[in-house]
Amino acid sequence: MAALLLTGGRVVDPANRLDVTADVLILDGKISAVGKNLSAPKDVERFDARGKIVCPGLIDLHVHLREPGQTPKETLATGTAAAARGGFTSVVCMPNTSPAIDNAGTVALIRERAAQQGIVNVFVAGAISKSIAGEELAPIGGLKRAGVVAITDDGHCVQNNELMRRACEYAKMFNLPVMDHCQDYSLVTDGVMHEGYWSTVLGLRGWPSAGEEVIVARNILLAELTGAKIHCQHLSAAGSVTLLREAKKRGVPISGEACPHHFTLTDAVVAGSEKFWAEDGKQILSIQPSTFNLQSLPEWPKYDTNFKMNPPLRSVRDREAILEGLSDGTIEILCSDHAPHCDYEKEVEFDYAPFGITGLETELALSLMQLVHAKRISLADMIAKFTVNPARLLSLNKGTLSIGADADATVFDPDCEWVFRPEDSASKSKNSPFFGWKLKGRAVAAIVGGKKVWAEKNELAVA
Ligand SMILES: [Zn+2]
C-alpha cells in the first residue's frame, strides 16, 4: 500500500476551516486521516513538516503550457515541473496554442500527453471561438465531453457581444464557466504599456484602463442576462474592481482573478529600476525580507521587455485597488498567467516583444509577501484563493484535505528567504522580471495523488 505521513506541520485547510498542528496520513492516493500523533503502517514514508505549512495542493487556473505547437517556449514536462517547484499540484492550461485547443481531438491529445509527461494534474481550458479568431463558436458541447473545465479565448477577447452572449448560453447549458481576457480592441489598439504618465514620458503607446473596464462591464451584463458564470482573468485596473464589487453585491455570477505582478509592480518599472525603487517600489521595501537592503535592490534597465505583459502593469492607484479587492473578497482567485517566451523573442525593442512573463515559481512568495506578510489578508484566506476557490469555480474535486479527497498537498515555508535565480528555474523560458529578487516564502514539497513529485533539495521525480 502506498503511504505517506506528513508529520507535525501546521495544517491549513480553509474549506474545512481547519488550522491546527497535526499529521496528515495519505493512503493509496487519498487523504486518510488528519490529526495529532497519527499511527501509520510500519513501512510508511515520513515527511517532517514541522515548522512548515501543510495545505491542500495549490491550483493555478491560468497557465500557458504552450503545447501543442510552441514547445521551444515550454512543454507539458517543463511547465508542470515549474508548477511543482512553485508548490502547485494542479494547473489549467490555456488554449491559445498552435493550433488552438478548440476541438475534442486536441483536448484529448493534451490530456493524454499530460498524463504521460506531466508531473502535476493538468486540466484543459477549451477555446470559446474556432481558432480563437472571435468569429465562430467552437463546439462547446464537444469540448465539455472531451473534458475541458472552462472555455476562454485568453490572449484574445471575443469582441462581438452577440457571439459572447451565445457562448455564455451554451456554456451555461454545459455547466462550464466562461473565462475572459478583458480587452476592448478598439480602445487598446496597439498599446504596449499602461496609458498614463510613464507611457507619455517613455514615448510608448498606451493601453488604457478603460480597455479592460469596458469588457468587465460587458461581462457583468452578459452574466446577468444569461445566468452563465463569467470569470474575468488577470484584473489590472481599479475600475474593474469597483465594477466587480458592485455586481457581486447584486448577486451576478461574476468572479475575478489577480496575478502577483499586477499587485506588486507598477508601470514605473518600464522606466528602469532606479525610478521604481525611488517611488512606487517604496511600499514593497517595507515588507521585504530582513536581508533586503537598499544596496542589494534588483536592477534592470529602461524598456526591459520582461515587464511587458497583457494587461499591462498599471499605476499605484490600480495596484492598491487590486490589493483592496483581494482583501475584501471581491477578487477570490490568485493565479500566475505563466506565459513563457524564448529569449530571442523577448530580446527585441519593447514595441516588438511578445506580452507575458513566467510566474509559477514566484507567485506563492509574492502573494505571501504582498498579502500575508503585509498583513492584508490571513494565511487561510490566501490559501483559499489558491485552492478551494478555483476548485469551486471549475467544479474540480480538489482543493481540500477532507478525508477521502485526492491526496494533493503542498508543504511550504512562509518565512524562508531566498533569491530567485534563472539556474534554479524548471521552466524552459527565463522571461521573469523577478530574477535577483529576494523573496519570502517558498514551497518545500508538492504531493500529487499521494506521490511526492517534488521536494526541496531533491531532483524532480520522474513522472
Ligand atoms: Zn490573458
Side-chain angles (χ1 to χ4, degrees):
M1 189 188 284
L4 178 64
L5 184 66
L6 309 172
T7 57
R10 177 177 163 198
V11 180
V12 183
D13 180 10
N16 290 309
R17 296 178 182 277
L18 193 71
D19 187 344
V20 63
T21 301
D23 301 341
V24 176
L25 177 64
I26 294 166
L27 292 177
D28 285 334
K30 303 284 179 193
I31 303 292
S32 171
V34 177
K36 293 201 194 282
N37 307 315
L38 291 180
S39 59
K42 231 187 221 148
D43 55 341
V44 70
E45 184 190 347
R46 286 164 182 270
F47 188 94
D48 183 359
R50 279 175 303 174
K52 311 283 192 298
I53 307 294
V54 177
C55 67
L58 305 181
I59 301 167
D60 186 335
L61 55 50
H62 193 150
V63 170
H64 297 270
L65 293 179
R66 303 303 192 200
E67 287 208 48
Q70 299 166 329
T71 50
K73 296 174 194 271
E74 196 76 286
T75 64
L76 288 159
T78 58
T80 57
R85 279 191 180 214
F88 288 80
T89 60
S90 293
V91 296
V92 178
C93 65
M94 295 295 111
N96 60 334
T97 48
S98 179
I101 306 177
D102 63 358
N103 65 82
T106 312
V107 176
L109 172 82
I110 296 304
R111 295 186 70 191
E112 194 182 304
R113 270 198 207 161
Q116 290 163 355
Q117 296 163 19
I119 62 166
V120 306
N121 305 304
V122 175
F123 295 98
V124 180
I128 296 173
S129 66
K130 283 186 185 160
S131 306
I132 309 204
E135 284 162 11
E136 213 183 322
L137 286 184
I140 295 170
L143 288 169
K144 166 80 180 188
R145 278 190 295 279
V148 304
V149 295
I151 52 172
T152 174
D153 270 6
D154 183 48
H156 297 265
C157 177
V158 174
Q159 300 295 294
N160 182 316
N161 298 327
E162 200 274 337
L163 190 77
M164 189 65 171
R165 175 190 180 172
R166 299 294 162 217
C168 290
E169 287 171 347
Y170 279 107
K172 182 165 193 257
M173 250 180 332
F174 295 108
N175 193 28
L176 282 172
V178 180
M179 307 202 292
D180 198 22
H181 165 121
C182 303
Q183 177 178 353
D184 182 281
Y185 292 174
S186 61
L187 279 168
V188 174
T189 61
D190 49 3
V192 294
M193 75 173 289
H194 174 59
E195 181 182 291
Y197 173 78
W198 288 111
S199 65
T200 310
V201 169
L202 295 166
L204 292 171
R205 287 186 300 275
W207 193 136
S209 294
E212 175 178 286
E213 293 153 359
V214 160
I215 298 293
V216 171
R218 181 272 305 259
N219 289 346
I220 290 167
L221 295 171
L222 290 182
E224 214 164 9
L225 175 66
T226 63
K229 281 201 273 188
I230 305 184
H231 175 72
C232 299
Q233 296 176 288
H234 44 44
L235 294 173
S236 65
S240 303
V241 182
T242 306
L243 285 163
L244 208 63
R245 184 178 290 125
E246 192 273 335
K248 288 179 72 159
K249 254 183 219 152
R250 284 188 288 127
V252 180
I254 190 97
S255 58
E257 68 186 33
C259 310
H261 46 272
H262 287 128
F263 59 80
T264 303
L265 305 171
T266 65
D267 56 348
V269 295
V270 186
S273 50
E274 229 174 285
K275 288 273 187 292
F276 180 69
W277 294 119
E279 295 175 30
D280 301 356
K282 275 188 191 146
Q283 176 261 348
I284 297 171
L285 292 180
S286 60
I287 49 149
Q288 281 293 334
S290 54
T291 49
F292 210 82
N293 57 52
L294 287 166
Q295 282 74 48
S296 68
L297 289 176
E299 288 177 28
W300 61 87
K302 265 187 194 178
Y303 303 104
D304 185 333
T305 58
N306 284 330
F307 294 97
K308 181 176 177 184
M309 61 285 281
N310 188 2
L313 301 167
R314 300 202 185 273
S315 68
V316 175
R317 190 179 138 257
D318 295 295
R319 180 176 67 183
E320 284 307 312
I322 300 290
L323 288 166
E324 185 54 40
L326 285 161
S327 61
D328 74 6
T330 301
I331 302 173
E332 54 292 74
I333 292 171
L334 290 163
C335 63
S336 66
D337 188 12
H338 178 81
H341 291 292
C342 302
D343 290 350
Y344 73 86
E345 296 173 290
K346 278 288 197 181
E347 286 165 4
V348 295
E349 292 90 331
F350 201 87
D351 273 340
Y352 301 115
F355 292 101
I357 61 167
T358 59
L360 280 164
E361 293 162 303
T362 47
E363 60 182 308
L364 175 60
L366 291 166
S367 299
L368 280 163
M369 289 164 65
Q370 285 287 71
L371 301 173
V372 181
H373 295 315
K375 300 195 177 6
R376 288 191 170 95
I377 68 175
S378 69
L379 181 65
D381 278 350
M382 187 208 73
I383 291 172
K385 290 180 201 291
F386 274 128
T387 55
V388 62
N389 296 358
R392 273 192 196 136
L393 175 75
L394 303 170
S395 307
L396 301 180
N397 196 14
K398 299 272 180 196
T400 80
L401 293 174
S402 302
I403 307 304
D406 292 345
D408 295 346
T410 299
V411 184
F412 68 91
D413 179 345
D415 298 313
C416 170
E417 297 184 358
W418 59 292
V419 177
F420 185 44
R421 296 186 196 287
E423 56 270 32
D424 301 325
S425 170
S427 171
K428 203 164 180 181
S429 290
K430 308 293 176 214
N431 53 312
S432 168
F434 295 109
F435 287 126
W437 283 55
K438 284 188 178 132
L439 302 173
K440 187 171 180 180
R442 187 177 159 84
V444 175
I447 294 147
V448 178
K451 212 170 82 179
K452 207 165 59 188
V453 296
W454 180 77
E456 207 174 37
K457 295 188 197 85
N458 286 5
E459 285 306 303
L460 286 166
V462 181

